[in-house]
Amino acid sequence: MTEFNLSAWALRNRPLMIFLIIISLVAGILSFQKLGRSEDPEFNIPVMTAVVAWPGATPDEIQNQIINRMEQAVQELPNLRYVTSFARQGYGGITVAIGGRNSGEELNELWYQARKKIGDVRPLMPAGILGPFFNDEYTDVYTALYALSAPDITPAERQEFAEDIKRKLQTVPAVNKVNILGKQPERLYVEVSSKKLAALGLSPQILIQSIAQQSPVRPAGQMETREDRVFIRMDGQLDSKESLESLSITVGDRLLRLGDVASVHHGVEDPPSSTIRRNGEDVLAIGVTAEPGSNIIDLGRSLKETVQAIQKDLPAGLTLTQYADQPTIAEESVWEFEKAFLEALIIVLAVTFAFLGWRTGIVVAASVPLVLGIVAVIMLIFGWNLDRITLGALIIALGLLVDDAIIAVEMMVVKLEEGWDKVRAATFAYTSTAFPMLTGTLVTVAGFMPVGFAESTSGEYAGGIFWIVGIALLVSWLVAVLFTPYLGVLMLPDKLAGHAHDPYDRPLYKRLRQLVDKALVYRKSMLAGTAALFVIAILGMTLVQQQFFPTASRPELLVELRLKAGSSMTATQDAVRRLESILAQDKEVVDYVAYTGQGSPRFYLSLQPELPNASYAQFVLRTPDLEAREAVRDRLMTIFKSNELFPDLRGRVTRLEFGPPVGFPVQFRVSGPELDKVRSIADQVKSIVESSPLVRDTQFDWNEQVRTAKLVINHEKARRMGINNTMIADQLQLSLQGVPVAQIRRGEELVDIVVRGTPEERLSLDNLPDIQLVGLNGQSIPLSAIASIVPTYEDPVIWRRDRNVVMTVRSDLSDGVQGPYATQQLLPMLKPVIDSLPPGYEIKAGGAIEESELANIAIAAVFPTMILVTLTLLMLQLKSFSRMFMVFMTFPLGIIGVVPSLMIFQAPFGFVALLGVIALGGMIMRNSVILVDQIDQDIAAGAAAWDAIVEATVRRSRPVVLTAAAAILAMIPLSRSVFWGPMALSIMGGLIAATTLTLFFLPALYATWFKVKKAATAEMGTA
């Protein structure tokens, strides 16, 4: 009984093949049209923050009484990577980062556990704290951001229009969330002078109680009658500015109107916690996020239609403008990759036509749409979008998926040239090469396993490469043994030139035969030369700059303004306006948005969120193109470097980055138990780092102290006057910052009533001693009578990491320098400091090199599995330990071509290039296993070992060169990509070297391994 031949079965069922071909093409076209589009793949950011407020507390009190307990609680979480915490004046928080690769469901469970554990310790915290407030939605990326400008109406009215717009946007299909950003809560301020209160003998507590008692909703009972139930309603509740001014307050034996005692007026949060300005104008931002897996390009079209309708209904003076348009950017990005894909497709087809002729070329070319059609169906089933990763993976696969079809057709052509009939020739490829091809395909797929299964955020981001390439290659094998024989019988002629003659008896093959023969004769020199080249390449890799992920090719710039610690919101807003005046005059800046007191919302996947900070502002600038982006960047960096216009702050100008967020590219964390010692060590680190020409603008993440005013109270004197600490604190809080005492209800909104001092009292530190207190008998007592004010300094923030004080020395890079490379060069300079560290203190590298090493460790963890799978596949095919290890030895040799390629084109070696090098090993072994199997088949057929090696190499040369040429040339469009360029160059250079190794090194290795001599005819061992 003969073995089953899938190709023969396909030829016996030709109508079925036609049906399957048509179905594959039609389903593929329909699936491709339905696939979602996005700029980048979705991946989870495994970070959660919890923030708590304790008004009046010092950073030390926040740390000791609150943050410590929160840190201890979350330390019990599984897969915990680190916990960072900060304690500021009056508030603090923790950031929990989870390691490994986690699904959305797993992260949700972890965040639930974190909330639960922190909730368990909440009763142990001091009274009067607010929170904790949790945020675990860092994965959300805004698909669109709109600016609502309304300079001629009140903030409250603008807020109402924003809420109406929000409701309309929420009805758009595929919209997940709509958030209003930059809201400044409305306030009803009651401003009163402490001197006036003291003169009237009115304590702040009585004033506050009078307002609070008039505001709440309280039940007044109900009456049950024979017919119905009647509820009793009361009037007189505070519902407006006028009702508040009319409120009666008892002062001794008199009744006074609140409006006679205090000034009542509408306003907004003052000072604001954060603001958003676009092109120099205050705005509200409305952010829209898309449902997971949706087509954001279609969503963008739907949003445009809805927004156009909204804009028509807006009253005069209100404008709604879109300033972040992810759907348009995604469409442009996808189209750029689609163009690259079409270029690669044309190149691959041109290679097949040039090498194989038009008939044979059509047979091979037909496999491309069939494979891509089936892959599109599978992508649609599993919910994969077309994005940077999947489209790049398809381009990589395009150069490989024709390999099996080329091998099958080439074998058919050879047999036709030898005089075989078409059906017999078409089925022979399955008998002779189908399973070596399958093994080679699986080995190639195995080369992509590390990125597919890497337990890291980087692996999650780029993991689609493994799945898309793997599916495409497996489908290509199926097409090669099922559809390609049928198409070959349909398209190829019955007879080819060279009928009944040896097709390899041609000058080119004769010359190749001579070269292979010499490689066998001088095998030791061949092997030694290859080993030397390998060592040189490994040494040369140290000269190639290391990289994590490259800079994005988007026209935006991020500009950060960092004022000294403790700066007021007013000072930050002043700096923002100064920069706005500069940007307004720059013709290459299309528009700009300033976020003061906070960072930009996440409009881009790799944007790192910034915690709220009154001394921080971030601009997002949009330029027309990359050339303008670089010009604007240079001008801004020159302005900040001169320190003339902005002497009071640090300005930072950065481009957007690909991949997971990193922050400053060069970072060194100094940590330990004692703050003063950590600060001393950090000073040494900073002086060394800033001396390097590889970095610029070296700084601490925190180190500046801020001034405070300490009240030294004469407690004995204060008690004699009937004054205690609580009364002093309440009066100062009321006069300086204000106290929310009640709320006015207006529709859905709640407006806080805030009692505070007059501007004269609360805006000048010089007036602090004159603030008046009310004594036991109603007498007026200035603060200076019972307390002295001592200027002091304290740390405005304390940062910790894993419960140790941590201070980070961080730097940006000089142009042309990569973060990992700069860190590697700085570490030896820091070694004397590291070696002299006392116990309990450490210096660790962070930034790009840390994230890169984490990604590489995650990839390395999959290596044993990849090696095991590869060896298993090789053993199943070759059934020999010797042959298995011989083929496996060719795995790393592609590095011989990778290093020169990267050095010639001055490309860095980063995470994406590493994936290319690993996958390259699988491509090399693919050709090696097919060649070794062919040699063994020839020897088994009775050929002399020497002749079998030479002839098998000659016969395999055309498909090897052709498949390599297709893969190399298909990478040309990718080589122009900022993201994929280093990988494309690595694969191109590696395959050029690998093709030579397959044709000359592998035969020499085979002959050496099995001690083959030219006259030998003995059977080869199978050990």
Side-chain angles (χ1 to χ4, degrees), residues 714-779:
N714 186 328
H715 293 285
E716 183 179 350
K717 188 175 182 181
R719 280 193 293 271
R720 286 200 303 268
M721 296 180 177
I723 297 174
N724 56 42
N725 279 16
T726 299
M727 295 170 64
I728 297 172
D730 288 347
Q731 179 63 63
L732 291 178
Q733 175 70 16
L734 183 147
S735 297
L736 301 179
Q737 191 170 350
V739 178
V741 297
Q743 292 178 321
I744 287 178
R745 292 167 292 280
R746 188 170 57 225
E748 297 179 1
E749 299 299 318
L750 293 174
V751 179
D752 284 345
I753 300 173
V754 178
V755 178
R756 67 178 182 178
T758 60
E760 293 76 16
E761 288 184 337
R762 58 187 168 82
L763 297 181
S764 174
L765 195 60
D766 294 337
N767 294 331
L768 184 60
D770 298 329
I771 289 179
Q772 300 295 308
L773 307 173
V774 178
L776 181 64
N777 299 316
Q779 72 273 32

Side-chain angles (χ1 to χ4, degrees), residues 86-295:
F86 70 93
R88 294 186 182 274
Q89 295 161 314
Y91 70 100
I94 66 170
T95 298
V96 181
I98 302 298
R101 182 172 176 173
N102 302 273
S103 67
E105 292 76 14
E106 291 170 332
L107 282 178
N108 288 337
E109 175 60 24
L110 287 169
W111 301 149
Y112 166 75
Q113 292 295 332
R115 283 182 168 88
K116 183 175 176 296
K117 292 178 183 298
I118 293 175
D120 290 342
V121 300
R122 176 66 172 78
L124 303 178
M125 298 178 188
I129 70 167
L130 305 174
F133 306 103
F134 298 94
N135 182 7
D136 58 11
E137 297 181 343
Y138 288 105
T139 300
D140 288 346
V141 177
Y142 285 107
T143 304
L145 285 167
Y146 302 92
L148 179 63
S149 171
D152 299 328
I153 62 176
T154 67
E157 292 171 326
R158 183 175 61 182
Q159 173 69 22
E160 290 179 4
F161 280 107
E163 291 290 348
D164 183 57
I165 293 170
K166 174 181 176 179
R167 283 189 290 270
K168 292 177 180 178
L169 291 176
Q170 285 173 326
T171 64
V172 178
V175 165
N176 186 24
K177 300 175 186 176
V178 181
N179 295 324
I180 300 175
L181 311 172
K183 291 189 292 186
Q184 296 180 35
E186 187 182 2
R187 299 282 189 263
L188 192 54
Y189 286 109
V190 178
E191 293 185 347
V192 58
S193 167
S194 66
K195 295 178 182 178
K196 191 169 187 177
L197 288 180
L200 292 171
L202 178 62
S203 71
Q205 287 76 16
I206 293 177
L207 177 65
I208 290 171
Q209 289 173 7
S210 299
I211 298 173
Q213 289 173 356
Q214 196 70 18
S215 180
V217 174
R218 299 184 66 86
Q222 63 189 37
M223 182 178 293
E224 293 283 346
T225 70
R226 291 181 180 275
E227 292 81 16
D228 54 5
R229 176 182 296 169
V230 180
F231 286 89
I232 310 302
R233 303 299 186 198
M234 298 177 60
D235 69 353
Q237 293 179 353
L238 300 177
D239 58 5
S240 65
K241 171 178 175 290
E242 290 73 23
S243 65
L244 186 58
E245 287 177 325
S246 301
L247 178 66
S248 297
I249 299 175
T250 302
V251 181
D253 56 356
R254 293 179 297 166
L255 281 178
L256 298 177
R257 291 175 65 254
L258 179 61
D260 297 331
V261 177
S263 169
V264 181
H265 64 88
H266 282 286
V268 293
E269 182 184 36
D270 180 30
S273 56
S274 63
T275 63
I276 301 177
R277 291 166 60 86
R278 179 177 180 268
N279 295 340
E281 185 178 1
D282 287 323
V283 298
L284 283 179
I286 302 174
V288 179
T289 65
E291 291 180 350
S294 60
N295 188 329

